[in-house]
Amino acid sequence: MRRLFVLLVLFIGIFLSATTIEVLWMGWPQDQVMQLVKAFKDENPTVEVDIQLVPFGQLFQTLEVRLAAGDGTPDVYIVDGPNTASYAARGYLLALDDYFTDEEMDDWFSASIEEGSYDGKFYSVPYGTSSAGIFYNKAIFEEYGIPFPPEGIDERLTWDEVVEIARALTKDTNNDGITDIWGLVIEQIDRPYLIFPIVQSLGARALSSDGFVSQGYINSKEFIEGTTFYWKLFNEWKISPQGVPDSAIAREYFGTGKAAMMLGNEWNIRRMSQYPSVEFGLTPFPYFEGGAIVTPTGSWHVGINSKTRKLDEALKFTKFITGKEAVITWHMLNGIAPARYDVYEALPEVFGNPMWQTFLYEMEHTAVARPVTPGYSQYELMLREAFNSIHYGADPKKTLDDAAIRIDRELRRYK
């Protein structure tokens, strides 16, 4: 009885002395996220975590409102990598250079460190990263006698070859004038993430080096050439469907046999399991003949509020959630590409898969982070509007000329 009393007193003491940190997080499935929170609390019984899961569509607006309040909460928050500069420039992120050793920094891909840095300082810790390629439906290729695309890095297709294959596999199977099988569906149809590598292969730059000028960049000859190619996918060749607004719908097209190929992210290795009847392969991200090989990258990071009053506890949570064991757990739960080298080494049974080996190569050798600018949110939003209009048939040059004027007007606010 006395022992039970002592344990009860100790428990009450720990509970009363616990510090609660507020964490604003992406709205992933709660059961997945809470496994990591529980593991953190098991290691840190004096730290309580008030974790708030916000759906993707509301996340950025919620962060803007909460951080602008300046009250030091949330103490820790999820950061979309390209937004690091925006939050850092406005004083919302704590510079973390003094809290991570060189050895710790070496654990992450260099592109991830670049995305988490601004003005020479390190502000957001990589949580995941990403890559993309073209997934192809083997049954459709076999049915129409088209050889499978090459899967080796040294044999990647050119964009012209992709178009040729897609045109051969775009089918009106019952002759009713409606396309039943599309040659190529794009998972993120209007997002710079997947469109930038297309124009960058032609030598285009997406923004000035100081991050404040889009005029002469997003409406350069090379950029317009690349977006004209993108326009042709939907409007001239008609090998890609218009109006596919998000990843889940694009994945449904591919998974149900309505698309022969899908330009999409690495997470589809896991997420295509919802379509178990589909046998698929992966061919590397294409390029234009004579142009550069460029692939997209970047994903979620973790940041600490510069005004937090609970720095020690915030650091403990940040280091835990981005550490090797937690990232291993998160990959096994969610399938997102880890940003840490040591996770790939720790899971050879997972990452020995040839598809993962392709993505790992891209992340190490061909990945280019999105441009750094303190106005990234507005920059991306206006470009998404432009790309969306272009894919519906708007003139690429006029659309980008107009977008450059609007973007530069917005970016001047950050100078």
Side-chain angles (χ1 to χ4, degrees):
M1 179 65 74
R2 185 172 182 277
R3 184 181 177 189
L4 180 62
F5 176 76
V6 170
L7 289 173
L8 182 61
V9 170
L10 287 173
F11 176 79
I12 292 172
I14 290 172
F15 179 78
L16 292 176
S17 65
T19 299
T20 300
I21 59 169
E22 192 173 320
V23 178
L24 200 151
W25 211 244
M26 201 0 222
W28 286 304
Q30 186 174 23
D31 60 332
Q32 296 179 5
V33 175
M34 294 313 293
Q35 286 191 49
L36 292 176
V37 173
K38 181 182 183 303
F40 170 77
K41 291 171 70 174
D42 288 345
E43 287 189 17
N44 300 273
T46 62
V47 183
E48 289 293 318
V49 180
D50 174 13
I51 194 158
Q52 300 161 17
L53 304 180
V54 180
F56 178 78
Q58 302 166 27
L59 178 64
F60 304 112
Q61 183 179 4
T62 301
L63 279 169
E64 289 293 334
V65 172
R66 293 292 309 280
L67 294 172
D71 64 358
T73 63
D75 300 283
V76 178
Y77 56 99
I78 198 84
V79 177
D80 192 12
N83 282 325
T84 298
S86 177
Y87 299 148
R90 289 180 286 167
Y92 296 160
L93 282 171
L94 178 72
L96 299 172
D97 305 79
D98 293 339
Y99 304 104
F100 286 85
T101 65
D102 291 342
E103 289 76 17
E104 288 174 309
M105 299 288 281
D106 286 342
D107 288 332
W108 293 297
F109 291 112
S110 58
S112 296
I113 295 294
E114 178 185 344
E115 191 166 57
S117 301
Y118 176 66
D119 200 22
K121 294 183 179 180
F122 180 53
Y123 282 100
S124 67
V125 186
Y127 186 46
T129 187
S130 64
S131 190
I134 291 184
F135 295 87
Y136 63 92
N137 184 315
K138 292 185 176 181
I140 293 175
F141 275 71
E142 288 177 333
E143 180 178 355
Y144 293 102
I146 305 296
F148 292 160
E151 298 189 352
I153 288 292
D154 295 333
E155 303 173 289
R156 75 176 73 225
L157 297 171
T158 66
W159 274 114
D160 288 338
E161 290 171 326
V162 171
V163 169
E164 182 181 354
I165 295 169
R167 294 180 79 171
L169 292 175
T170 299
K171 301 291 183 181
D172 172 7
T173 58
N174 56 6
N175 298 312
D176 64 353
I178 298 173
T179 299
D180 300 298
I181 301 174
W182 295 92
L184 176 69
V185 66
I186 299 176
E187 187 176 20
Q188 299 183 52
I189 200 167
D190 61 355
R191 290 190 176 273
Y193 176 87
L194 278 181
I195 299 171
F196 278 168
I198 296 174
V199 301
Q200 288 167 332
S201 181
L202 292 166
R205 291 178 58 192
L207 201 61
S208 63
S209 57
D210 65 3
F212 292 108
V213 180
S214 68
Q215 189 75 243
Y217 295 92
I218 69 165
N219 56 351
S220 69
K221 174 180 175 292
E222 295 81 6
F223 205 103
I224 291 169
E225 183 182 351
T227 49
T228 299
F229 171 87
Y230 167 78
W231 177 91
K232 289 180 178 179
L233 296 175
F234 307 95
N235 297 284
E236 181 176 322
W237 302 315
K238 297 183 179 180
I239 55 178
S240 297
Q242 294 173 325
V244 178
D246 62 32
S247 296
I249 295 177
R251 193 158 46 248
E252 180 184 342
Y253 267 70
F254 184 70
T256 58
K258 295 178 182 177
M261 296 183 288
M262 176 176 67
L263 181 66
N265 285 74
E266 87 296 331
W267 56 55
N268 289 297
I269 296 176
R270 171 72 59 85
R271 296 180 188 180
M272 282 304 300
S273 62
Q274 69 185 110
Y275 301 101
S277 64
V278 176
E279 186 180 0
F280 61 91
L282 173 75
T283 189
F285 205 101
Y287 72 110
F288 287 102
E289 187 171 0
I293 295 172
V294 179
T295 59
T297 195
S299 188
W300 298 105
H301 288 222
V302 182
I304 296 176
N305 195 322
S306 61
K307 293 182 173 63
T308 180
R309 292 185 287 272
K310 302 165 185 177
L311 177 57
D312 289 344
E313 293 80 8
L315 276 168
K316 284 181 181 178
F317 182 83
T318 299
K319 289 205 170 192
F320 174 87
I321 207 76
T322 61
K324 176 182 175 182
E325 296 306 319
V327 172
I328 288 174
T329 300
W330 183 242
H331 172 76
M332 298 308 291
L333 288 168
N334 198 270
I336 290 176
R340 300 181 61 101
Y341 289 107
D342 51 8
V343 174
Y344 293 90
E345 297 167 358
L347 297 174
E349 69 280 10
V350 173
F351 297 115
N353 177 317
M355 294 186 197
W356 270 114
Q357 287 296 301
T358 293
F359 287 131
L360 182 57
Y361 176 90
E362 305 285 43
M363 288 185 284
E364 291 181 314
H365 296 94
T366 64
V368 175
R370 282 159 284 182
V372 175
T373 173
Y376 187 83
S377 293
Q378 294 85 351
Y379 168 77
E380 181 181 59
L381 176 61
M382 293 178 193
L383 270 180
R384 285 188 65 187
E385 292 171 352
F387 292 150
N388 199 38
S389 296
I390 291 167
H391 111 273
Y392 273 122
D395 176 72
K397 184 178 187 309
K398 183 180 186 309
T399 304
L400 292 169
D401 283 340
D402 292 344
I405 293 170
R406 295 171 56 225
I407 289 170
D408 286 358
R409 183 185 303 130
E410 191 67 29
L411 294 182
R412 280 196 292 270
R413 296 173 50 203
Y414 293 89
K415 284 192 174 182

